[in-house]
Amino acid sequence: MIAFDRVSKRYPQGHEALSEVSFTIDSDEMVFLTGHSGAGKSTLLKLIMLMERPSRGQVVVNGQNLKAMKPSRIPLLRRDIGVVFQNHQLLFDRTVFDNVALPLLIAGYSPRDTGRRVRAALDKVGLLAREKSMPITLSGGEQQRVGIARAVVNKPSVLLADEPTGNLDPALSAEIMQLFEQFNQVGVTVLVASHDLALISRLHHRILTLRQGRLIAQGAGD
Amino acid sequence: MAVGASQSRTGLGDRLRSWQVHHRLSALDSLSRLLRSPVSSLMTWLVIGIALALPVGLSVALDNARSVSVGWDSPAQISLFLRSEVSMDAAGLLRERILERSDVASARLVSRDQALEEFRQLSGFGDILQNLDDNPLPNLVLVTPLGGDGQAQRAAELQLALQDEAGVERAVLDMEWVQRLNALVELSQRAVGALGAILCLGVLLVIGNTIRLAIENRRQEILVIKLVGGSDAFVRRPFLYTGFWYGLGGALLAWLVVAVALWWLRGPMATLALLYQSDFVLEGLGFLDSLGLLVAGALLGLLGAWLAVARHLSAVQPR
Ligand SMILES: Nc1ncnc2c1ncn2[C@@H]1O[C@H](COP(=O)(O)OP(=O)(O)O)[C@@H](O)[C@H]1O
Ligand SMILES: [Mg+2]
């Protein structure tokens, strides 16, 4: 569950990136976040992960008010939120397996559990055969799927994606969105930021629309 | 609650085990990273090693010097050169008087004729002395102070007291050079201590700066780790181990440098000792000293890394 209550964000010496944004996403929902470049999509996602803090208003994730959260608790919050980035943020000095295993290493899983979970996640995104490859040898779509495997390997309750299909062709983009839908079907709250209106309006999910930091629509898709 | 749930997914025992595993991984990984760029690591190790070897080597040298001065256990002797007008009878009386003092062990009267004879035999100038019309030497009383604790101090006080005796031209304490050496050793120890402190500070800065560069190089990795929920301790760990390895490796090199230097000096020192008819042997770094050096190096490394990490790691935040 993600709830924003009149959230505003002003960057130091900047204009307001978000103004009075309020919405609620239920635990079993998959929601798209759209708007032009600069509308505030990335800022909104960063507030959920506490990469930024709101200037005003409250953000509640899974019943936890982030305002009251001590810095030492932030790692625990992030372990329960999977994130996928447009530039996938993979580490190129280690194998696909080690990239995906990173959240498990951090969370303290035994090597045996780690192996099992990493392979399950790689299987899910169709890259089980590439576990020993280096990320640089993969295509853009494959790299993105490694990023997704890493985001879900710890079975987070929330999955965030910031322009996950930005660099991909339409067919690959549709595949990626299907993956997100599968995770949503097993109970993961999914929030995907994308300006690819053509793609997201074909999928039947709620769409939050930002314009210059204001939430101008939060109705159902289509 | 989901955040709580993610904790309970792994048991406490598992978490402890994996914590140990991560320590081992971090330790090995940071060591293998250092070994993968051997040239630059060796440079850092050498800088640290030389900086540590200097004060350690000097203090080994001082310890040896001190063992020379402490090992000088022949009792001090005070030579009283009497005025030329003091007769042998008066000199005998003076000797009796001195013997009564509580801080004197023994006193021996050496007449100017005896002194000349001894000098003739010892110096090898016999022929020249034969041609002298007049004996230039004064009558002499050789006084041995009481030995025991603080004998140097008491001998010095005795010397001052005897200097004031009537008929005494000059009182010379033969232990003076030992005292000078002692004072010099003490002074040098302070100087080496100060030098050591400065060089340790240098080592801290070198390690701190090296770790700062390592943090800069692994910026992307740090960002990703923080994004997927790595705690500060988790992010810190590999850098602390890196500092540890730098410090330990530097200390090992320092030990090696000192050992080689001592080995290099051992031969000439033995020859020198032989010339002085001394059984002096050059003492190297003992087991405890060596252990201390390694521990100190490793701790310096950890501390330097800690300082760098505290200063620079918090600046790396995902944005
Ligand atoms: N770190 C930052 N400092 C200052 N301004 C920022 C920062 N990040 C984003 N902004 C500004 O905030 C606004 C919203 O940006 P962003 O959330 O990235 O939008 P979007 O992801 O929809 O393109 C933009 O005007 C952007 O320039
Ligand atoms: Mg953006």
Side-chain angles (χ1 to χ4, degrees):
Chain A
M1 196 269 297
I2 301 170
F4 274 52
D5 182 21
R6 279 173 295 162
V7 171
S8 300
K9 172 67 186 177
R10 184 191 294 279
Y11 285 107
Q13 18 24 59
H15 58 117
E16 268 197 343
L18 288 177
S19 312
E20 302 276 316
V21 171
S22 300
F23 63 86
T24 303
I25 299 174
D26 287 333
S27 297
D28 57 354
E29 264 192 297
M30 171 154 170
V31 173
F32 287 113
L33 178 62
T34 191
H36 295 297
S37 175
K41 304 183 291 296
S42 298
T43 301
L44 192 151
L45 295 183
K46 285 174 184 172
L47 291 177
I48 299 173
M49 300 202 60
L50 276 183
M51 286 164 70
E52 295 287 353
R53 290 200 179 249
S55 312
R56 282 192 312 277
Q58 316 248 332
V59 178
V60 177
V61 177
N62 290 330
Q64 284 198 303
N65 190 330
L66 301 193
K67 190 169 225 162
M69 185 168 281
K70 281 184 273 164
S72 62
R73 299 285 298 179
I74 294 178
L76 289 180
L77 170 80
R78 290 185 184 159
R79 284 175 210 179
D80 201 35
I81 300 177
V83 243
V84 180
F85 301 92
Q86 176 174 359
N87 56 359
H88 31 73
Q89 306 265 27
L90 297 183
L91 297 176
F92 287 93
D93 63 347
R94 58 195 77 187
T95 61
V96 165
F97 182 99
D98 287 344
N99 266 280
V100 176
L102 188 60
L104 302 180
L105 184 65
I106 287 168
Y109 283 84
S110 71
R112 204 167 44 108
D113 282 351
T114 300
R116 206 162 39 76
R117 280 172 184 259
V118 169
R119 294 202 178 88
L122 283 174
D123 190 27
K124 194 106 190 159
V125 299
L127 286 175
L128 192 49
R130 308 301 301 268
E131 63 169 284
K132 294 198 176 70
S133 307
M134 298 305 275
I136 200 76
T137 64
L138 304 183
S139 71
E142 286 171 330
Q143 289 183 3
Q144 188 57 286
R145 283 186 286 161
V146 174
I148 294 171
R150 185 184 65 195
V152 300
V153 72
N154 198 16
K155 299 221 164 81
S157 65
V158 175
L159 182 59
L160 305 178
D162 196 358
E163 313 270 5
T165 62
N167 295 326
L168 305 180
D169 63 47
L172 278 176
S173 301
E175 258 177 52
I176 298 278
M177 291 300 182
Q178 265 171 19
L179 262 177
F180 289 141
E181 287 187 313
Q182 285 169 22
F183 292 121
N184 176 240
Q185 274 150 25
V186 296
V188 180
T189 316
V190 179
L191 178 56
V192 180
S194 170
H195 58 245
D196 190 350
L197 264 179
L199 174 62
I200 64 178
S201 54
R202 268 190 281 120
L203 304 164
H204 301 277
H205 298 288
R206 198 146 69 89
I207 298 178
L208 306 180
T209 310
L210 284 171
R211 181 186 292 161
Q212 291 175 352
R214 294 187 173 276
L215 194 59
I216 56 167
Q218 49 177 314
D222 63 343
Chain B
M1 184 168 300
V3 171
S6 76
Q7 269 178 298
S8 62
R9 273 184 221 157
T10 47
L12 190 66
D14 270 352
R15 297 177 73 79
L16 195 65
R17 222 171 357 263
S18 69
W19 179 79
Q20 289 169 339
V21 166
H22 186 244
H23 266 278
R24 202 160 49 237
L25 282 181
S26 300
L28 291 178
D29 181 62
S30 38
L31 183 59
S32 80
R33 272 172 197 271
L34 293 189
L35 297 179
R36 256 179 282 156
S37 47
V39 176
S40 67
S41 299
L42 194 63
M43 291 297 266
T44 310
W45 272 323
L46 272 178
V47 169
I48 298 168
I50 290 168
L52 290 177
L54 217 56
V56 169
L58 285 175
S59 80
V60 165
L62 283 178
D63 281 348
N64 278 296
R66 200 167 37 176
S67 83
V68 167
S69 67
V70 165
W72 198 265
D73 52 0
S74 70
Q77 196 174 51
I78 299 171
S79 309
L80 297 183
F81 297 97
L82 305 183
R83 291 185 205 283
S84 52
E85 71 267 19
V86 176
S87 69
M88 272 305 279
D89 289 347
L93 287 177
L94 177 63
R95 171 183 168 267
E96 311 256 291
R97 202 150 19 96
I98 291 171
L99 257 181
E100 280 164 18
R101 293 182 62 106
S102 61
D103 51 356
V104 169
S106 70
R108 184 166 71 93
L109 182 62
V110 180
S111 75
R112 47 201 307 231
D113 296 338
Q114 275 173 297
L116 186 64
E117 187 55 34
E118 271 182 33
F119 188 61
R120 193 172 277 155
Q121 284 171 4
L122 284 177
S123 67
F125 289 128
D127 293 343
I128 301 171
L129 292 173
Q130 209 98 62
N131 297 332
L132 286 177
D133 300 338
D134 210 16
N135 180 355
L137 297 177
N139 288 323
L140 200 64
V141 180
L142 297 179
V143 180
T144 308
L146 222 54
D149 282 347
Q151 75 169 37
Q153 177 66 27
R154 276 186 286 113
E157 281 164 14
L158 181 59
Q159 178 206 8
L160 284 179
L162 294 180
Q163 178 77 68
D164 291 342
E165 286 283 346
V168 173
E169 169 91 51
R170 220 150 63 83
V172 176
L173 177 58
D174 288 344
M175 215 179 64
E176 268 175 352
W177 75 270
V178 177
Q179 280 179 314
R180 283 201 199 113
L181 182 63
N182 266 331
L184 202 64
V185 165
E186 207 159 295
L187 183 70
S188 312
Q189 267 173 334
R190 297 239 166 152
V192 168
L195 182 74
I198 291 171
L199 287 172
C200 282
L201 195 67
V203 169
L204 275 186
L205 293 180
V206 166
I207 292 178
N209 195 49
T210 313
I211 298 293
R212 183 182 64 80
L213 290 177
I215 290 174
E216 215 42 60
N217 282 336
R218 295 172 70 179
R219 194 185 171 79
Q220 181 63 16
E221 183 183 344
I222 296 168
L223 288 179
V224 170
I225 287 173
K226 286 195 172 180
L227 272 180
V228 298
S231 63
D232 286 347
F234 187 95
V235 177
R236 237 182 346 242
R237 209 162 290 149
F239 296 105
L240 294 184
Y241 272 109
T242 306
F244 172 84
W245 291 125
Y246 274 131
L248 188 64
L252 266 175
L253 273 180
W255 187 88
L256 214 64
V257 167
V258 172
V260 167
L262 284 173
W263 171 80
W264 179 256
L265 288 176
R266 191 147 284 164
M269 272 316 265
T271 315
L272 197 64
L274 208 63
L275 287 177
Y276 277 82
Q277 297 173 345
S278 154
D279 52 1
F280 173 75
V281 263
L282 199 57
E283 283 295 328
L285 277 173
F287 174 74
L288 278 183
D289 290 338
S290 307
L291 196 68
L293 172 60
L294 296 186
V295 169
L299 284 182
L300 270 182
L302 263 180
L303 185 62
W306 189 278
L307 292 177
V309 162
R311 242 178 83 70
H312 302 290
L313 213 50
S314 58
V316 184
Q317 287 292 350
R319 284 272 174 265

